[in-house]
């Protein structure tokens, strides 16, 4: 589950649902506050002192996004949520948005196989049926992303650019452990505000590697893994049929079946199955590896003849264009 981004405190005060009738908490006379009229009559510079006088210490708990984060573990967001919950008592809370994805990966004898579905959702709406969830990091590394599409794409793009600069400066291929460490540091720094659940797979001189990186910076190295809303069904297939040192065709079928199990068991996952096979010599990005067996075939053609919709009235307005000047200039050519 992922919460929608909270509106700014100043924009929330503009809602007509916000009232200062919380006498028990604010300790001011009971009356309806016309926030819209107050915003129209006062400027932003005049509004801030009023807010500070009304809410006092509560405003000090709302950390500015421009302030640097405190070292170590920070619970500023918990305090902020508690303050906003008291200030917005009686108003509807932000609606949670469920993100749907099934991504899987496993290590086989000669490399790593990654798999993902291709459905991108926006709430209850299927926004994209051919979303690419397997991102290229480098020539020997790919990464599957689940969660918020913008966060996963931006995070993997930044990682790819950093590793490209490293390769140009050192003339060496990046290690998979280096990429996992960069992802861990980046996501931990933001404390879970980046909704990226990642599976990183690759092959380097030290062998075949498969890592999972959570949105809070947790890292695990596993022989097989699945993430996303359909991961429970996919993990059941992987745990039942995984064997060490599998052949490439067996590994491709197993990852395909695990993603397909997530598609069948989760409404947020669907459409096709993409695979990426990474070995020491080649990378085979198969898109799609398996197309969806459910197609929306139309039983009839929805084309209506002219005149089906009645024309009630018609008005033609002539457009008069006056040509002021016209000149022709001849270009000299040699």
């Amino acid at each position: 589950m992922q919460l929608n981004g909270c509106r700014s405190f100043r924009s929330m005060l503009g809602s007509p649902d916000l009232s200062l009738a919380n006498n028990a908490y604010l300790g001011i006379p009971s009356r309806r506050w016309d926030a819209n009229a107050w915003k129209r009559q006062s400027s932003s510079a005049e509004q801030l002192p009023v807010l500070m006088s009304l809410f006092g210490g509560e405003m000090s708990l709302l950390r500015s996004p421009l302030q640097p984060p405190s070292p170590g573990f920070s619970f500023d967001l918990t305090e902020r949520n508690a303050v906003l919950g008291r200030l917005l008592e009686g108003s509807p809370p932000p609606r949670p948005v469920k993100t749907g994805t099934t991504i899987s990966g496993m290590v086989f004898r000669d490399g790593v196989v990654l798999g993902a579905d291709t459905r991108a959702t926006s709430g209850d709406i299927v926004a994209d049926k051919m979303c690419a969830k397997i991102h290229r990091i480098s020539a020997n590394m790919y990464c599957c992303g689940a969660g918020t599409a913008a966060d996963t794409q931006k995070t993997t793009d930044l990682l790819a650019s950093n590793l490209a600069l490293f390769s140009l400066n050192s003339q060496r291929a990046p290690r998979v452990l280096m990429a996992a460490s960069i992802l861990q540091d980046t996501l931990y720094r933001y404390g879970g505000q980046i909704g990226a659940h990642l599976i990183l797979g690759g092959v380097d001189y030290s062998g075949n590697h498969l890592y999972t990186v959570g949105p809070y910076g947790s890292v695990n190295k596993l022989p097989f893994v699945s993430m996303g809303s359909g991961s429970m069904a996919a993990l059941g297939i992987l745990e039942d049929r995984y064997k060490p040192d599998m052949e490439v065709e067996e590994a491709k079928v197993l990852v395909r079946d695990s993603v397909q199990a997530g598609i069948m068991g989760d409404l947020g996952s669907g459409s096709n199955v993409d695979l990426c096979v990474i070995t020491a010599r080649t990378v085979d990005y198969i898109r799609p590896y398996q197309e969806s067996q459910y197609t929306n075939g139309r039983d009839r053609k929805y084309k209506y003849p002219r005149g089906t919709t009645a024309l009630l009235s018609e008005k033609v307005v002539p457009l008069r264009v006056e040509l002021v000047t016209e000149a022709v200039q001849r270009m000299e050519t040699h």
Side-chain angles (χ1 to χ4, degrees):
M1 302 293 288
Q2 179 184 358
L3 290 177
N4 285 329
C6 281
R7 297 170 294 174
S8 65
F9 187 76
R10 183 175 298 163
S11 65
M12 285 187 287
L13 290 177
S15 173
D17 297 332
L18 180 62
S19 173
L20 297 185
N22 301 324
N23 303 331
Y25 175 68
L26 296 176
I28 61 176
S30 176
R31 60 186 178 87
R32 183 72 173 178
W33 184 36
D34 190 354
N36 291 328
W38 176 71
K39 288 183 66 179
R40 290 193 299 266
Q41 297 173 4
S42 59
S43 61
S44 300
E46 297 172 349
Q47 293 171 13
L48 184 58
V50 177
L51 297 179
M52 294 296 293
S53 62
L54 285 176
F55 301 112
E58 300 289 350
M59 289 289 294
S60 62
L61 294 178
L62 301 178
R63 176 181 293 273
S64 171
L66 300 179
Q67 297 179 3
S70 56
F73 290 99
S74 176
F75 299 93
D76 294 338
L77 296 181
T78 304
E79 299 174 354
R80 180 206 65 179
N81 294 339
V83 171
L84 294 179
R86 290 192 295 267
L87 296 180
L88 297 179
E89 185 177 357
S91 299
R95 293 182 55 189
V97 176
K98 180 179 182 300
T99 58
T101 290
T102 300
I103 54 177
S104 299
M106 62 167 289
V107 178
F108 67 100
R109 175 180 297 176
D110 299 324
V112 177
V113 178
L114 302 176
D117 71 303
T118 61
R119 172 176 292 182
T121 58
S122 177
D124 298 331
I125 300 174
V126 178
D128 189 358
K129 297 180 181 179
M130 286 295 293
C131 177
K133 301 181 182 181
I134 304 179
H135 309 277
R136 184 185 185 277
I137 304 301
S138 65
N140 62 325
M141 245 180 291
Y142 279 75
C143 183
C144 298
T148 305
D151 291 350
T152 57
Q153 183 174 359
K154 187 64 176 179
T155 303
T156 53
D157 287 347
L158 288 175
L159 174 62
S161 62
N162 288 332
L163 294 184
L165 291 176
F166 168 81
S167 298
L168 291 174
N169 292 330
S170 62
Q171 299 299 319
R172 293 185 300 172
R175 297 181 58 185
V176 184
L177 178 60
M178 177 192 300
S181 300
I182 295 175
L183 289 176
Q184 180 185 22
D185 294 341
T186 302
L187 296 177
Y188 180 80
R189 188 183 308 118
Y190 285 91
Q193 299 183 46
I194 299 178
H197 306 251
L198 306 174
I199 296 179
L200 178 67
V203 178
D204 54 27
Y205 72 90
S206 60
N208 311 322
H209 305 279
L210 185 68
Y211 292 92
T212 64
V213 185
Y216 288 88
S218 59
V219 176
N220 295 302
K221 184 178 181 181
L222 300 168
F224 62 89
V225 70
S226 180
M227 299 186 78
S229 55
S231 60
M232 294 295 103
L235 278 176
I237 301 297
L238 292 172
E239 292 176 349
D240 181 58
R241 295 164 48 183
Y242 175 79
K243 295 180 297 183
D245 297 331
M246 297 179 66
E247 297 294 337
V248 59
E249 293 301 327
E250 295 178 316
K252 289 164 64 175
V253 172
L254 178 55
V255 174
R256 187 271 315 268
D257 292 345
S258 66
V259 176
Q260 182 65 27
I263 290 176
M264 299 302 297
D266 175 45
L267 293 178
S269 306
S271 300
N272 305 332
V273 178
D274 293 344
L275 288 186
C276 183
V277 182
I278 309 170
T279 61
R281 296 182 178 180
T282 60
V283 174
D284 189 10
Y285 189 0
I286 310 173
R287 174 175 168 84
Y289 180 78
Q290 174 180 287
E291 295 186 357
S292 176
Q293 55 183 326
Y294 301 101
T295 58
N296 296 328
R298 294 187 177 182
D299 298 334
R300 63 183 68 180
K301 294 183 180 180
Y302 298 94
K303 292 184 178 180
Y304 301 95
R306 183 183 298 272
T308 301
T309 303
L311 183 62
L312 300 181
S313 62
E314 181 179 358
K315 182 180 180 181
V316 178
V317 178
L319 180 61
R320 297 181 179 178
V321 179
E322 182 178 356
L323 183 60
V324 180
T325 58
E326 180 178 359
V328 178
Q329 183 177 1
R330 186 174 181 179
M331 181 180 297
E332 296 182 1
T333 58
H334 299 283

